[in-house]
Amino acid sequence: MLWTLQKIIEGALERLSYQLITYLPPLLAAVVILAGAWVVAKLARWSFTRIFKGIEFDRWLRRSGVTTMLDPSGRLRGTEVVAQTIYWAILAVGFLTALNAFNTQLTSRMVETAVLMLPKLVAAVLIVLAGAWLAQYLGRSALLWAVNEEIPSPRRVAAVVRLAVMFVAVVVAADYLDFARNVFLAAFVLIMGGAVLAGSLAFGLGGRDALGRYLGGQRSEDRSAVPAERSLWTHL
Amino acid sequence: MEKQAPQNGPLEEALTISRADIVIGIPSYQNARTVAHVVRAIHAGLVKYFPQYTAVVVNSDGGSTDGTREAVLSTRVEDTHLLLLSHPLFPIHRLSVPYHGIPGKGSAFRLIFQVAERLRAKACAVVDSDLRSITPEWVDLLVRPVLHAGYDFVAPYYHRHKYDGTITNSIVYPLTRALYGMRVRQPIGGDFGISNHLVARYLERNDWESDVARYGIDIWMTTIAITEGFRICQSFLGAKLHDAKDPGADLSAMLQQVVGSVFRLMQEYDPVWRKRVGSQDVDLFGFRFDVGLDPIEVNVDRMLGLFRRACVDLGEIWALALKAETLREVRSLALLAEKENFRLNDELWVRIIFDFACAYKERALDRGHLLRSLTPLYLARVASFVLETQTLYSPEVEEKIEHLCRCYEDLKPYLISNWDGSGPETAETDRKKSAGVMTGGTPDVVDAAKNH
């Protein structure tokens, strides 16, 4: 009985020591790699922040119009974005290297998948970012147009434009990643088709009178008639 | 006497004439109704005042479909039963040619200048094709200072209704005067006389593809003439009565083109305007007299309504362009319940324009968006001006404009400090700082500028 118990304990200790011998060094190595990556990332972020501030990177971005292009609200700080990107990129590389230290099938597959997915993921993120920028830009254009043309609820008009552009960007990104492709495409077709139909009906009903006048040959008279309330606007 | 519309390019057509002393240009688009009168006035003016000179009248057309070009070519001065005591020694040629490129007034002017340069004209003048008040004397008043007095640029000086030319009165004239120190009363009048040297200078520039091709052309011409040391003067032309601008045009875009050109030129001529303090009169030709003017109807309620709605909807955009103090004052205006009490005072208006100029330079947001967001503020200023001057006569209104001009000049230090980036932050940055998002501080120079 005692002998059996001793055997079990010895086996457990053996397995533990084997596992410790097998996994502890890579774990320690992974921790060291992660810690090293974290320190390097911090150092890189600090250095790049200092360097970019020194060369007035934000000011240059703002003056060249890049800041406005990327972020129409003008709140974007280029230095911060670049430094944070470098920070996270170093951490990601560190994480993958740490995983690779285990040299198991699972970790190797994870690293491989991440490396293979990375370009696609970056492209998808870029598509969404470009969509976000375009949505902001067109949304603001729509807002200004609606305000100046006295269209009711200009903020809603802008919001609809922003949403539509963002939706298209997400559909494109999802399609690129092969992620729920059919669901997104079906939703896209349904929504866009509905919007076009609604727009056509609204335009057709709203523009019926104008079209009638146009076909009746009254166009030229209409163009020369200036409404009284706009007359101020006609003189520079 | 008249030439048919050319089959070749306009410059080739001009070459068949080979040389002319005077070129008068008429940019046009859908002006069949009024252009004949303009052509007759120019023809009579050339015959009466410059019979010894060779002259060409060039109509630069933007693709009219209403017979504008045909009207230019077929108009006969004899139709007016005008008794001309002098007769030209040389025939007055007439061309009507379509311009190419970006559709707009500036592109039309460019073609006229190219013809003038090709013909080695000593003097060139341009007049609008929608003028109803043009007389033969206009030709004399625009061309003679160039031909006989050595001036390079003749700006018009008109009597206009107090509510006419509001962009001129509230932005372009006072701002140009404060910046460059010359009191050119109608810097975007549209009717100018230009010497051959200045024509050559205009043509050698490479910014024709910008807003200069459109309504930015007038202030562009005036600013270059002032800042590059050309001799400038003004001619009193009487009243300016003209048709409405193209009613189909987006008038917010017109404001954007004019103001955008002013701001862009501010950047280019930064070293010039920075040094100039105060302003001086510009020589004025012509005998001044009072004239009757077309009344102009103004819908103040509509303007104020648009401004109040914009205060709600465009606050986020204005916060990027305006300084915190300026934005606060603008917002407080929207709360005024009584229409009659609504006043956007001179100082606030000047600070708005200066803030926008700095935001344009710093690209605080997309420039097109920035300029379009000025429209409701401009309408608020016009509404305020109308309410303030509705019982006033012309001379009193001129005094008001003069006061505004002095305000622009007095606040120039405020502009310079903000232009250099040492002024107060925009409302958005200010908000972020208050929220602790950013660190560091900048000196508040508003009060210093005000006290200056």
Side-chain angles (χ1 to χ4, degrees):
Chain A
M1 177 70 180
L2 268 175
W3 183 82
T4 311
L5 193 63
Q6 187 187 346
K7 271 284 180 200
I8 290 169
I9 291 169
E10 274 176 8
L13 285 174
E14 213 169 285
R15 279 197 300 279
L16 181 67
S17 93
Y18 170 76
Q19 281 180 343
L20 279 177
I21 289 164
T22 311
Y23 293 113
L24 195 60
L27 185 69
L28 283 175
V31 170
V32 170
I33 289 168
L34 269 181
W38 182 71
V39 171
V40 172
K42 279 249 183 199
L43 203 66
R45 186 171 62 182
W46 181 81
S47 309
F48 276 100
T49 306
R50 294 293 295 252
I51 291 167
F52 283 133
K53 278 192 177 164
I55 59 173
E56 295 197 318
F57 183 63
D58 280 337
R59 198 180 171 84
W60 177 79
L61 281 182
R62 201 168 57 243
R63 290 205 164 163
S64 62
V66 175
T67 304
T68 317
M69 194 181 78
L70 294 174
D71 175 24
S73 73
R75 293 170 202 166
L76 185 81
R77 294 285 169 273
T79 302
E80 208 177 303
V81 170
V82 173
Q84 286 289 0
T85 307
I86 290 167
Y87 174 80
W88 284 106
I90 293 172
L91 274 190
V93 170
F95 181 70
L96 289 177
T97 315
L99 272 182
N100 221 14
F102 289 98
N103 201 22
T104 62
Q105 221 174 1
L106 178 71
T107 54
S108 298
R109 210 179 314 139
M110 280 171 73
V111 171
E112 198 177 309
T113 311
V115 169
L116 285 175
M117 275 292 288
L118 198 65
K120 275 199 152 192
L121 207 65
V122 169
V125 168
L126 285 178
I127 288 169
V128 172
L129 282 178
W133 171 79
L134 196 65
Q136 274 289 336
Y137 183 86
L138 293 180
R140 192 167 275 177
S141 299
L143 176 69
L144 285 162
W145 168 78
V147 168
N148 288 338
E149 293 299 320
E150 297 172 90
I151 307 289
S153 309
R155 286 159 90 90
R156 277 188 201 159
V157 172
V160 167
V161 170
R162 266 196 290 267
L163 268 177
V165 177
M166 264 324 285
F167 182 62
V168 172
V170 170
V171 168
V172 172
D175 184 58
Y176 191 74
L177 288 174
D178 280 340
F179 176 74
R181 178 180 265 180
N182 291 337
V183 176
F184 274 106
L185 277 181
F188 178 73
V189 169
L190 281 173
I191 292 174
M192 289 308 281
V196 169
L197 182 67
S200 306
L201 282 172
F203 184 76
L205 291 171
R208 195 170 50 183
D209 293 341
L211 186 68
R213 282 199 302 274
Y214 179 79
L215 292 174
Q218 297 175 11
R219 186 169 175 268
S220 55
E221 284 83 351
D222 285 350
R223 276 179 65 81
S224 60
V226 187
E229 67 267 27
R230 290 209 73 153
S231 61
L232 178 72
W233 264 110
T234 60
H235 300 77
L236 287 177
Chain B
M1 188 184 291
E2 288 90 20
K3 288 194 169 279
Q4 291 306 305
Q7 298 304 310
N8 302 321
L11 294 178
E12 285 71 27
E13 180 69 14
L15 265 182
T16 63
I17 302 168
S18 82
R19 190 172 163 74
D21 297 314
I22 301 167
V23 167
I24 309 282
I26 312 170
S28 68
Y29 178 66
Q30 308 286 47
N31 300 108
R33 209 164 58 83
T34 51
V35 77
H37 169 70
V38 176
V39 171
R40 275 195 291 269
I42 290 170
H43 197 105
L46 288 169
V47 171
K48 182 177 177 184
Y49 295 104
F50 303 102
Q52 71 278 33
Y53 290 96
T54 52
V56 175
V57 178
V58 183
N59 166 230
S60 179
D61 188 72
S64 303
T65 53
D66 65 343
T68 300
R69 292 181 61 199
E70 290 74 15
V72 170
L73 294 172
S74 61
T75 298
R76 291 163 58 85
V77 76
E78 293 81 8
D79 294 347
T80 58
H81 304 290
L82 198 66
L83 184 60
L84 295 171
L85 296 179
S86 55
H87 294 280
L89 296 178
F90 309 99
I92 297 169
H93 294 284
R94 213 181 292 168
L95 303 174
S96 178
V97 284
Y99 63 80
H100 301 290
I102 300 170
K105 186 178 177 182
S107 297
F109 272 31
R110 188 182 194 180
L111 177 61
I112 292 165
F113 294 155
Q114 285 170 335
V115 171
E117 188 179 56
R118 187 62 67 94
L119 296 176
R120 286 169 285 157
K122 292 174 190 160
C124 176
V126 282
V127 292
D128 281 344
S129 51
D130 61 350
L131 289 166
R132 287 183 281 117
S133 57
I134 186 172
T135 62
E137 284 67 39
W138 282 38
V139 176
D140 182 43
L141 288 162
L142 291 174
V143 172
R144 193 173 297 279
V146 175
L147 275 184
H148 295 158
Y151 285 96
D152 292 302
F153 184 75
V154 187
Y157 191 108
Y158 322 102
H159 277 315
R160 300 175 83 165
H161 187 273
K162 60 184 176 182
Y163 302 150
D164 189 11
T166 41
I167 298 180
T168 302
N169 293 343
S170 59
I171 305 175
V172 185
Y173 165 55
L175 183 55
T176 306
R177 169 176 154 171
L179 289 173
Y180 307 113
M182 303 295 259
R183 295 176 189 168
V184 179
R185 185 63 185 84
Q186 297 291 339
I188 54 173
D191 311 301
F192 301 106
I194 311 126
S195 72
N196 52 354
H197 303 297
L198 190 50
V199 165
R201 173 65 190 125
Y202 288 150
L203 287 174
E204 75 186 17
R205 287 184 58 108
N206 57 8
D207 52 352
W208 282 96
E209 306 298 318
S210 60
D211 278 341
V212 170
R214 303 183 183 90
Y215 282 109
I217 180 72
D218 299 320
I219 189 60
W220 179 84
M221 289 167 62
T222 306
T223 305
I224 291 170
I226 294 173
T227 52
E228 299 196 2
F230 289 93
R231 285 193 72 203
I232 61 171
C233 68
Q234 304 174 95
S235 278
F236 181 73
L237 302 177
K240 175 152 185 164
L241 305 176
H242 59 130
D243 268 10
K245 294 273 182 286
D246 175 14
D250 177 356
L251 293 156
S252 178
M254 285 162 68
L255 177 72
Q256 182 186 338
Q257 288 161 25
V258 174
V259 178
S261 291
V262 177
F263 289 168
R264 193 176 59 77
L265 290 162
M266 275 176 77
Q267 280 186 273
E268 182 178 346
Y269 292 109
D270 175 332
V272 177
W273 61 260
R274 190 179 282 276
K275 288 183 289 189
R276 298 204 177 159
V277 179
S279 59
Q280 64 185 70
D281 284 327
V282 173
D283 294 343
L284 178 62
F285 287 86
F287 183 75
R288 292 185 67 172
F289 53 93
D290 278 340
V291 287
L293 297 163
D294 284 350
I296 291 179
E297 297 295 321
V298 182
N299 189 336
V300 172
D301 290 324
R302 190 176 158 195
M303 291 176 178
L304 289 181
L306 197 151
F307 166 67
R308 287 193 173 116
R309 282 191 297 277
C311 279
V312 177
D313 296 320
L314 300 184
E316 179 201 330
I317 295 177
W318 287 347
L320 293 166
L322 297 174
K323 306 298 173 200
E325 179 62 23
T326 313
L327 184 62
R328 252 194 303 277
E329 287 181 46
V330 166
R331 282 188 164 142
S332 67
L333 278 178
L335 302 174
L336 287 175
E338 291 291 316
K339 180 182 95 177
E340 302 308 321
N341 295 337
F342 184 86
R343 291 288 182 277
L344 202 166
N345 65 58
D346 288 353
E347 192 195 318
L348 176 58
W349 173 242
V350 174
R351 276 194 282 127
I352 289 171
I353 293 297
F354 285 171
D355 286 356
F356 266 76
C358 295
Y360 183 92
K361 181 205 170 205
E362 289 292 325
R363 293 177 186 270
L365 68 157
D366 175 78
R367 286 177 166 178
H369 290 161
L370 176 81
L371 292 169
R372 278 180 185 265
S373 74
L374 180 63
T375 303
L377 292 165
Y378 164 74
L379 289 178
R381 168 64 192 180
V382 173
S384 167
F385 180 78
V386 170
L387 291 169
E388 203 178 344
T389 59
Q390 53 193 344
T391 57
L392 303 184
Y393 291 104
S394 250
E396 295 160 317
V397 173
E398 272 304 312
E399 276 177 31
K400 291 271 177 201
I401 295 168
E402 180 62 25
H403 181 266
L404 176 66
C405 291
R406 281 199 297 271
C407 196
Y408 268 92
E409 290 176 14
D410 292 343
L411 280 173
K412 199 169 169 182
Y414 171 84
L415 169 68
I416 292 174
S417 67
N418 287 333
W419 191 263
D420 293 335
S422 57
E425 301 286 0
T426 58
E428 176 60 23
T429 320
D430 197 48
R431 185 190 65 76
K432 287 178 77 179
K433 272 188 178 175
S434 306
V437 178
M438 294 174 74
T439 54
T442 50
D444 188 345
V445 298
V446 183
D447 292 333
K450 278 182 196 168
N451 296 335
H452 186 88

